[in-house]
Amino acid sequence: IWILIGLALLVIISACFNYTNLSIARALKRSREVGIRKVIGAKKNQVILQFVIESVVISLGALLISFLLFLFLREQFIALHNFVDQLALMEVTPKLIVSFVVLAIVIGIVAGIFPALFFSKIQALAVLKGPSNLKLFKRVNLRKSLIVVQFVFSLIFITVTIIGYTQYKNFITFDLGFQTENIVNIDLQGNDGDLLAEKLSKIPAIGDISRSSLVTSLGRQNRALLKYKNPNDSVSVLENTVDENYLSLHGHEFLAGSNFKETNSNEVIVNEKLLERFNISESDPYGALGEMVVVDGKELIIRGVLKDFHYERVESAIKPTILRFSPSPNGYINAKIAAHNWIETQAQIESAWKEIDQAHPIDAQLYTNRIEKAFSALAMIVKIIGFLAFLAICISSLGLLGMVVFTTETRLKEIGIRKVLGAAGVNLVYLLGKNFFILLLLAASIALPITYLLFEKIILTNFAYHESIGVSELFAGFFFILLIAGLILSLIHISEPTRQ
């Protein structure tokens, strides 16, 4: 919630800057108005009050529009994730309305105070010189500073969205060390697994069937306490109880040893990390076969060593893991299905389920879909940031448009003369846009290092396995905004100066 509030505040701040930008873009006309008002006796505080009230009225109008958008987007937002409706109440209450009216007034004051102060300091003589000579903090031009800030926000949002989406796609397509394609996991929910497996085996599209206590790589886990030779050295290891078909169905790779026998529950299969943790046979897979370990007080013999695989979600580091044998684990049925016609197969699976349990709805999902749902929170964040990026781009583009119009108005005579002398449209676009492209480069030099360091030093440090940030991901947002800026400049109607 606090992250979303922070992102929303960034968009609001950018919008406030944009309002200041557009207000100053109208400086040529409004400065004349202010100059005349001052000539006939208007005081400085009256000018300030006028511009602040204008800003507050616009902010309240924006609140009304945003409320209508809220009513439209509320259901879509709740549908992003199943816990959204538990995190926040989406009901409209009098207290909420009053709070947002107050917020709108505050935002109106914040957005309007800079234009108000800007215009209140205008002298009649300054109007004759043109508003482009009005500077903030001596040599720093206000409108240029605001454009840079807006593009910094926009670039950060766009780059975060692109990098976040890349990481999300990496997580759901990551090589887990075993197969998940065309495998459906069915939660037994306490039902007779043998009976359901018998019915499923009669479905033509279903091939191999296995049983397990849980589905790995989704974030859920079982743990057991394991000791080797030193009784004082124990570690909590990840555990899954499986039948004799589980490993072959999921395509796990043996480094040494073989699969479970159907009748022997005194054996255990381990991964490489467990050998490294206890230095079993100096981490030699073949030398570890036949070694005894104590799991939850029970002596078990290592029957096989698997190549490391991702038991937890892929962002977590691989940990010591064991697989124990049971002929009928009570948890899930894992069924290999034909690659085609999942919808028809799903209907047949549901029909088989209803034969043994009519009280509970079936929970049968493709393994790959379960992995996607495991990262649904990340997908939700990427969607929200992407939406905010869209808003930020729109805001900054409007600000750029306002500044281009402002520059055009302040250089009407120059542009008109150039057109009369035969200047091409491309040359005029370059003339109007070269300074803005420099500002965009400045914004990129600020935003891109900030975003890169944010991911490399803070966010991605929490993910053991992540995709490296590529140059294309960093600069895609820059070229996208560069394209938008070029379109804005090229679409400006530059025929008006010829009539001056």
Side-chain angles (χ1 to χ4, degrees):
I1 293 297
W2 285 107
I3 291 175
L4 295 180
I5 291 174
L7 295 175
L9 285 177
L10 287 179
V11 173
I12 291 175
I13 292 172
S14 182
C16 291
F17 286 162
N18 192 59
Y19 179 81
T20 302
N21 246 344
L22 296 176
S23 296
I24 297 176
R26 300 176 61 202
L28 189 62
K29 296 179 180 179
R30 297 304 299 269
S31 59
R32 292 170 181 169
E33 171 194 338
V34 173
I36 294 173
R37 292 194 63 197
K38 285 195 170 185
V39 168
I40 62 176
K43 296 181 180 179
K44 181 178 179 180
N45 59 346
Q46 292 175 319
V47 175
I48 293 176
L49 184 62
Q50 173 194 348
F51 281 92
V52 170
I53 290 177
E54 287 180 6
S55 178
V56 170
V57 170
I58 292 175
S59 181
L60 291 172
L63 175 63
L64 178 60
I65 297 174
S66 68
F67 176 72
L68 298 177
L69 287 174
F70 163 76
L71 296 178
F72 174 73
L73 296 173
R74 175 168 51 184
E75 296 302 323
Q76 285 82 352
F77 181 71
I78 292 175
L80 284 175
H81 202 281
N82 55 13
F83 62 69
V84 172
D85 57 343
Q86 300 173 5
L87 288 177
L89 295 175
M90 298 294 176
E91 299 175 357
V92 179
T93 62
K95 180 180 179 181
L96 186 69
I97 293 175
V98 171
S99 300
F100 274 97
V101 169
V102 173
L103 177 64
I105 293 173
V106 171
I107 291 173
I109 294 173
V110 171
I113 193 65
F114 285 105
L117 294 174
F118 180 86
F119 286 107
S120 67
K121 294 180 180 179
I122 290 179
Q123 302 296 328
L125 182 60
V127 175
L128 298 177
K129 294 181 179 179
S132 59
N133 292 309
L134 301 173
K135 305 287 183 177
L136 182 69
F137 304 130
K138 295 182 179 180
R139 297 184 180 178
V140 180
N141 190 290
L142 175 60
R143 68 181 191 273
K144 293 182 180 179
S145 302
L146 296 181
I147 285 178
V148 170
V149 172
Q150 283 184 301
F151 278 124
V152 166
F153 286 156
S154 297
L155 283 169
I156 289 177
F157 276 125
I158 295 173
T159 309
V160 167
T161 302
I162 294 173
I163 295 175
Y165 180 75
T166 302
Q167 298 300 326
Y168 167 73
K169 294 297 291 185
N170 172 64
F171 289 146
I172 64 176
T173 58
F174 198 85
D175 182 6
L176 301 173
F178 59 92
Q179 297 175 10
T180 59
E181 290 293 328
N182 302 320
I183 295 177
V184 59
N185 310 118
I186 306 170
D187 189 347
L188 288 173
Q189 303 180 57
N191 289 298
D192 187 341
D194 293 331
L195 179 59
L196 181 59
E198 180 183 351
K199 294 184 178 299
L200 293 176
S201 63
K202 298 177 182 179
I203 299 176
I206 292 182
D208 295 334
I209 296 176
S210 72
R211 302 267 298 274
S212 61
S213 58
L214 56 74
V215 179
T216 59
S217 302
L218 304 181
R220 293 180 54 196
Q221 55 183 243
N222 292 335
R223 286 187 171 271
L225 190 65
L226 186 143
K227 299 179 182 180
Y228 182 44
K229 292 181 179 180
N230 184 354
N232 297 320
D233 182 18
S234 62
V235 67
S236 178
V237 298
L238 301 173
E239 177 195 39
N240 194 8
T241 304
V242 302
D243 67 2
E244 68 278 5
N245 299 319
Y246 180 86
L247 293 172
S248 58
L249 185 143
H250 290 86
H252 281 277
E253 181 180 345
F254 276 92
L255 298 179
S258 59
N259 201 354
F260 293 111
K261 294 180 179 179
E262 295 186 14
T263 58
N264 195 342
S265 61
N266 294 320
E267 296 177 328
V268 65
I269 294 177
V270 304
N271 70 340
E272 297 173 84
K273 279 290 185 291
L274 189 135
L275 301 187
E276 295 175 8
R277 168 61 181 80
F278 289 98
N279 193 26
I280 300 177
S281 187
E282 297 182 351
S283 300
D284 174 25
Y286 288 97
L289 300 180
E291 291 290 316
M292 184 186 72
V293 294
V294 179
V295 180
D296 289 338
K298 183 178 181 179
E299 294 182 349
L300 300 176
I301 302 299
I302 297 179
R303 179 177 180 82
V305 179
L306 294 177
K307 183 178 180 180
D308 280 338
F309 63 96
H310 290 270
Y311 178 106
E312 297 179 289
R313 294 204 320 179
V314 72
E315 77 269 20
S316 301
I318 296 177
K319 299 181 179 65
T321 305
I322 64 171
L323 298 179
R324 299 177 67 173
F325 174 76
S326 172
S328 55
N330 187 22
Y332 289 83
I333 282 183
N334 314 290
K336 191 79 172 181
I337 64 172
H340 62 280
N341 205 355
W342 157 240
I343 301 299
E344 181 180 345
T345 305
Q346 185 181 28
Q348 294 174 336
I349 293 174
E350 291 178 356
S351 177
W353 174 268
K354 290 179 180 178
E355 293 181 17
I356 66 170
D357 188 343
Q358 297 181 355
H360 302 94
I362 187 174
D363 178 11
Q365 301 178 48
L366 292 172
Y367 208 145
T368 50
N369 290 347
R370 288 186 184 272
I371 292 175
E372 286 189 22
K373 288 185 178 181
F375 290 96
S376 58
L378 177 59
M380 178 191 71
I381 293 174
V382 170
K383 289 179 181 178
I384 292 174
I385 295 178
F387 178 69
L388 294 177
F390 171 75
L391 294 179
I393 292 170
C394 292
I395 292 170
S396 58
S397 298
L398 287 173
L400 176 61
L401 177 62
M403 288 301 98
V404 172
V405 172
F406 170 81
T407 301
T408 304
E409 288 185 348
T410 57
R411 303 176 68 177
L412 287 177
K413 293 182 179 179
E414 175 190 351
I415 296 175
I417 293 172
R418 287 177 179 271
K419 290 203 69 175
V420 170
L421 294 177
V426 175
N427 294 332
L428 293 176
V429 169
Y430 173 75
L431 176 67
L432 293 173
K434 61 180 181 180
N435 291 331
F436 296 107
F437 290 137
I438 293 174
L439 296 179
L440 181 55
L441 287 172
L442 177 59
S445 67
I446 298 172
L448 299 186
I450 289 176
T451 308
Y452 179 81
L453 292 175
L454 175 66
F455 273 92
E456 283 292 332
K457 303 299 182 181
I458 299 177
I459 297 178
L460 294 182
T461 55
N462 298 314
F463 299 89
Y465 304 93
H466 59 265
E467 191 78 12
S468 299
I469 299 176
V471 175
S472 60
E473 297 165 30
L474 276 178
F475 285 91
F478 169 74
F479 288 114
F480 180 69
I481 290 185
L482 187 64
L483 175 63
I484 292 177
L487 288 174
I488 291 174
L489 288 168
S490 62
L491 292 175
I492 289 295
H493 188 64
I494 55 176
S495 63
E496 293 185 1
T498 60
R499 298 196 296 266
Q500 300 302 316

